[in-house]
């Protein structure tokens, strides 16, 4: 299969002759005019739950940029909505939860994730099937939010800078926190599994805000729940990518949650990441998104530096160190993909 | 001098019999009702430039909480205003700059920092003199923003999550960036020096957003400017504290900019910080602000853990791992200070 070199990189089995593989976090979405046109008149969460739209949006950046994977178009709170909780995505704000979870009664009232939830995931499975059919030999990466990040939205009620209520809850009421985080782990784990069973070739568990925790809190209150989410797909033959922002101080701990590939943000050079991780860990990352706003020279210099730093890994999929900023010129991404592919194999 | 134990900790010359020393970043400000009453009808920046108000606001938390130092009440953009640039602090937003600096012409137009600037700092000197007189034996810590953080406001025009324009500028136009950062270094360095000459016993250089940089960018584009800012007080007999948020991956590099004490945020345990820094580096930090919102038991457990982790340092001043959140109950801080002081000496 011509396009499987991305999967070989993710498995740590790089084809030395292959060109670098690349995709971009948040490649589907607001930076693309065809996305903005399609989304017109449909809310974010509705578009995620309409199989035709989710599939088309997922394919758009593959078609335009010729990236080596699709990332399933969704949002970390989509499974929250499927489970029946009131949540919406407000433009310019982010996910907003109707009834933030603060008390024992709130946790008691969380719905059991049974057949209704599985049935509710049918639009996701259908969207994945359509996407995979459309993508052909290009692999699709499944998507879910990690327990800490999803739970922080549920507890805070929306985006927050320091996640103080969430982090206070885990220290103050560890048993309540554990119940909430376990619920989210099942929610996200089943969401991932549904995508893989419908055809996704790899998964990525996003823990956007986990970097606000120290290692002690992570190990005591979070790692086991991320592990539970990833365990939902551990029996399936798919690489499990795990990524957090500003989480250089947690890299080995996050890997030990059951990831097989570590996504690294732009703050930590890939060669340093390799030193921190068990030998043989494939990496994903980590072009600084700031270079999307520089002249091409600085951008390509950064891309070359990232390739060089990742060359010592047994597998390396190029990505940004964070999601594509909405104001990015799409042509910049298209050209960056072409530049990376032109680097050819044997780049170490 | 009874209260000099904080200064001994900062110098790495701990008195083994002394109780822990403590102050809190952002201890002066919105968490205090007496602050909100005094500020009524005065803008933030005007209050910083009125010596009577700045002095009173600086003293308020010392009086109420019995912390072991005052931190001079100011804002990182106060010297920007003194230099004549249009800047204001919008409630709920933060510093907003009238004309963001984006082009070579913008940098060319930056005012020379000469006698006018020194004269403009007179309200600062007067406020420091009044504060020091009022504080008596309690030391005052001077305050300034580091070049990267201050410059990021000037370039972005206000707060931003990822500082993309600023980080693109340093890669794309390194010579322009260097001129801007050098200007800010002089601005902040002179601001610090004015405070020390007027009576401050230590300084803290805040680099709130530096954690968004990788080490390579920090070393190439930022470290020398932070060093230039700190060099303005290097001939004076005052400890130089340096602090960044989410900057665990830059700790030795920031220390090497000329700090004598490293402030550490709540993400990195102090014993880990000691391993990363040159032997003998005194530390400041790093109680997780999340415990300000838990029951007392979890809060005091965290305080004890921080004391234990800092005991191996030759000096350790207790602080939060980030600023006091505005919604903090002030009594919680008062009780935390009393708890820390009750731990007594010889705590290692």
């Amino acid at each position: 299969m011509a396009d499987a070199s991305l999967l070989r990189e993710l498995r740590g089995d790089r084809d030395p002759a292959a060109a670098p593989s690349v995709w971009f976090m948040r490649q589907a979405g607001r930076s693309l005019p065809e996305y903005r046109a399609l989304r017109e008149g449909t809310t974010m969460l509705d578009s995620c739950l309409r199989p035709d739209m989710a599939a088309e949006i997922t394919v758009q950046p593959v078609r335009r940029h010729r990236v080596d994977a699709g990332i399933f178009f969704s949002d970390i709170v989509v499974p929250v909505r499927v489970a029946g909780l009131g949540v919406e995505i407000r433009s310019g704000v982010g996910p907003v939860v109707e009834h933030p979870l603060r008390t024992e009664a709130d946790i008691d009232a969380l719905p059991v994730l049974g057949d209704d939830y599985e049935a509710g995931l049918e639009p996701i499975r259908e969207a994945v099937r359509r996407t995979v059919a459309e993508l052909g030999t290009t692999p699709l990466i499944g998507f879910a939010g990690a327990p800490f990040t999803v739970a922080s939205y549920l507890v805070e009620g929306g985006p927050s800078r320091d996640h103080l209520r969430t982090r206070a809850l885990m220290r103050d009421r560890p048993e309540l926190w554990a119940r909430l985080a376990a619920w989210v782990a099942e929610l996200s784990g089943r969401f991932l599994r549904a995508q893989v069973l419908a055809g996704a070739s790899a998964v990525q568990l996003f823990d956007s805000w986990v970097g606000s925790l120290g290692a002690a809190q992570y190990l005591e209150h979070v790692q086991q729940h991320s592990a539970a989410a990833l365990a939902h797909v551990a029996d399936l033959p798919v690489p499990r990518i795990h990524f957090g922002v500003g989480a250089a101080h947690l890299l080995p701990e996050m890997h030990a949650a059951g990831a097989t590939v570590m996504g690294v943000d732009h703050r930590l050079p890939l060669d340093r990441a390799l030193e921190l991780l068990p030998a043989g860990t494939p990496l994903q990352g980590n072009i600084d998104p700031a270079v999307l706003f520089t002249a091409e020279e600085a951008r390509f210099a950064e891309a070359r530096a990232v390739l060089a730093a990742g060359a010592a890994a047994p597998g390396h999929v190029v990505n940004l160190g964070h999601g594509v900023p909405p104001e990015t010129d799409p042509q910049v991404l298209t050209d960056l993909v072409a530049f990376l592919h032109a680097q050819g194999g044997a780049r170490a």
Side-chain angles (χ1 to χ4, degrees), chain A:
Chain A
M1 201 159 75
D3 285 306
S5 68
L6 177 132
L7 293 175
R8 288 190 59 179
E9 299 275 3
L10 290 178
R11 293 198 183 98
D13 172 34
R14 172 186 294 149
D15 173 358
S21 294
V22 55
W23 67 279
F24 302 122
M25 293 186 280
R26 232 189 282 150
Q27 64 190 12
R30 277 187 291 161
S31 64
L32 298 185
E34 59 270 34
Y35 167 84
R36 297 192 297 267
L38 185 62
R39 268 286 313 282
E40 193 97 30
T42 310
T43 69
M44 171 71 188
L45 288 183
D46 286 348
S47 72
C48 293
L49 289 164
R50 278 186 47 184
D52 57 335
M53 282 188 75
E56 169 60 16
I57 293 171
T58 302
V59 174
Q60 282 175 346
V62 182
R63 203 182 281 140
R64 179 192 271 260
H65 300 314
R66 302 186 168 277
V67 284
D68 300 295
I71 175 78
F72 184 59
F73 178 73
S74 196
D75 187 275
I76 61 165
V77 298
V78 164
V80 174
R81 158 75 70 93
V82 171
L85 274 65
V87 61
E88 58 168 327
I89 303 210
R90 282 204 202 132
S91 173
V93 177
V96 176
V97 176
E98 198 178 349
H99 299 297
L101 308 180
R102 304 274 165 86
T103 66
E104 185 154 7
D106 294 335
I107 308 296
D108 288 342
L110 283 171
V112 172
L113 298 170
D115 293 345
D116 283 358
Y117 180 62
E118 284 299 327
L121 291 176
E122 184 50 28
I124 302 300
R125 283 186 288 264
E126 175 60 16
V128 169
R129 285 189 292 264
R130 288 181 187 224
T131 305
V132 169
E134 182 97 14
L135 285 177
T137 55
T138 301
L140 175 68
I141 300 174
F143 169 101
F148 176 73
T149 295
V150 177
S152 82
Y153 284 103
L154 297 177
V155 172
E156 310 287 340
S160 89
R161 180 179 287 174
D162 293 315
H163 321 292
L164 289 168
R165 281 178 189 274
T166 313
R167 299 195 296 107
L169 177 68
M170 65 175 66
R171 287 180 183 264
D172 213 22
R173 304 290 306 273
E175 74 299 344
L176 267 195
W177 162 257
R179 288 174 57 203
L180 171 60
W183 183 82
V184 176
E186 186 173 354
L187 184 86
S188 282
R190 287 184 180 220
F191 183 63
L192 279 182
R193 188 174 181 86
Q195 295 169 60
V196 176
L197 292 180
S201 300
V203 297
Q204 177 157 324
L205 189 68
F206 284 80
D207 211 346
S208 314
W209 307 137
V210 72
S212 74
L213 295 167
Q217 297 293 304
Y218 179 80
L219 289 172
E220 187 172 348
H221 298 299
V222 174
Q223 188 189 51
Q224 67 272 42
H225 303 293
S226 295
L230 287 169
H232 279 263
V233 293
D235 62 320
L236 303 173
V238 294
R240 303 183 293 277
I241 314 166
H242 196 16
F243 172 74
V245 179
H249 61 297
L250 298 176
L251 216 58
E253 291 83 359
M254 290 177 69
H255 177 264
T260 65
V261 181
M262 280 310 293
V264 180
D265 85 0
H266 65 271
R267 292 166 179 83
L268 188 72
L270 294 180
D271 44 0
R272 277 287 296 139
L274 282 175
E275 293 168 19
L276 297 171
L277 289 164
T281 307
L283 299 180
Q284 180 178 277
N286 63 352
I287 293 177
D288 186 345
V291 303
L292 303 176
F293 305 94
T294 65
E296 201 167 74
E297 190 186 341
R299 182 156 56 250
F300 290 172
E302 164 79 354
R304 271 190 295 262
V306 165
L307 282 176
H316 170 215
V317 170
V318 180
N319 206 312
L320 297 176
H322 201 335
V324 172
E327 63 272 31
T328 306
D329 174 357
Q331 191 60 44
V332 162
L333 295 175
T334 305
D335 294 348
L336 181 55
V337 172
F339 173 83
L340 286 161
H341 285 163
Q343 299 310 297
R347 55 197 182 277

